[in-house]
Amino acid sequence: AEALRQGTVRGIRLCVTTIIPSVFPFMILSSLILHYSVAESLGFLSGVFRTMYRISEGGFCAFLCGSLCGFPLGAKCAAEAYEAKRITKEECERLIAFCSNASPAFVIAGVGAMRKSIYDGIILYLLMLLCSVTVGIFLSRKKAPSMGGAIMIQKSLSFTKCVENAGLQTLF
C-alpha cells in the first residue's frame, strides 16, 4: 500500500511539474494553427505534403499539429478538416494513421527528464517523426490527391479562447 501511495505521488508530481507544463503551450499553438489556417499559408510546404502523401493541402494542418503539438491534436485536426470538407474520408483515415504523434515537448522534456537525458529525448522524437513520415509514405496511394473543399477560416477565435480550449483539453 505504501509503494502504491509513493508511486501515485511521484506520478502526480511528474505530471504537474513536467508533463502539463510541457504540453500546455502546444495545445495553445495547435488551436491557433488550426483556426487561423497557418498550415495552408505555408504554400510550398503544404504543396510538398500534398505531393508526398497524396492528401489534399487541407490535411497539412493535421500533420503539422500532430508533429508539433502531439496527440490527440493531429487526429482532431484531421477530423475537423474532414468535417469542413477540406479532405476526403479516405484521406482523413490515412492521415490519422500517421499524424497522431507525441509532442516534441512531451518526448524531449518528459521522456528525456525521466531518462535524465535530453539527448535521449531528442533522438527518440526524431525517430518517432521518421517513423511517422515513413508510415505516411507507405499509406499514400497512386491516386491523385483531391483538391478538397473550400477552406473555411474562423478568424473570430481569440487568443484567450485558444488558451481556454487548451486548458480544458489538457485537463480532460
Side-chain angles (χ1 to χ4, degrees):
E2 181 60 26
L4 179 62
R5 187 190 69 75
Q6 288 176 353
T8 301
V9 169
R10 273 197 348 248
I12 291 171
R13 185 176 297 133
L14 178 65
C15 187
V16 169
T17 61
T18 303
I19 306 301
I20 290 175
S22 66
V23 171
F24 185 69
F26 287 94
M27 300 287 275
I28 296 169
L29 179 63
S30 73
S31 191
L32 291 170
I33 288 170
L34 179 64
H35 291 288
Y36 289 102
S37 296
V38 172
E40 284 82 7
S41 300
L42 304 172
F44 171 73
L45 290 177
S46 60
V48 169
F49 171 84
R50 180 173 184 250
T51 302
M52 195 158 109
Y53 296 113
R54 309 265 186 233
I55 294 177
S56 305
E57 292 175 359
F60 183 56
C61 181
F63 179 74
L64 189 64
C65 284
S67 298
L68 297 177
C69 305
F71 51 74
L73 299 173
K76 177 183 174 213
C77 288
E80 288 181 6
Y82 171 67
E83 289 171 0
K85 298 188 183 339
R86 293 160 68 188
I87 60 175
T88 66
K89 181 180 179 187
E90 185 266 337
E91 289 174 325
C92 182
E93 290 168 351
R94 284 190 292 124
L95 188 57
I96 287 173
F98 68 94
C99 74
S100 294
N101 301 305
S103 73
F106 174 77
V107 176
I108 295 169
V111 175
M114 286 187 269
R115 295 203 28 89
K116 295 182 173 67
S117 170
I118 296 299
Y119 178 77
D120 286 356
I122 292 170
I123 295 299
L124 183 60
Y125 176 72
L126 292 175
L127 288 172
M128 180 198 65
L129 200 54
L130 178 63
C131 289
S132 177
V133 167
T134 304
V135 166
I137 291 170
F138 282 134
L139 291 175
S140 67
R141 307 271 196 265
K142 299 283 182 204
K143 182 174 141 184
S146 71
M147 294 309 293
I151 295 176
M152 298 173 69
I153 302 173
Q154 182 182 357
K155 297 283 186 186
S156 62
L157 187 71
S158 69
F159 181 74
T160 306
K161 190 69 173 169
C162 290
V163 172
E164 179 184 325
N165 290 344
L168 291 172
Q169 290 171 350
T170 301
L171 293 174
F172 302 105

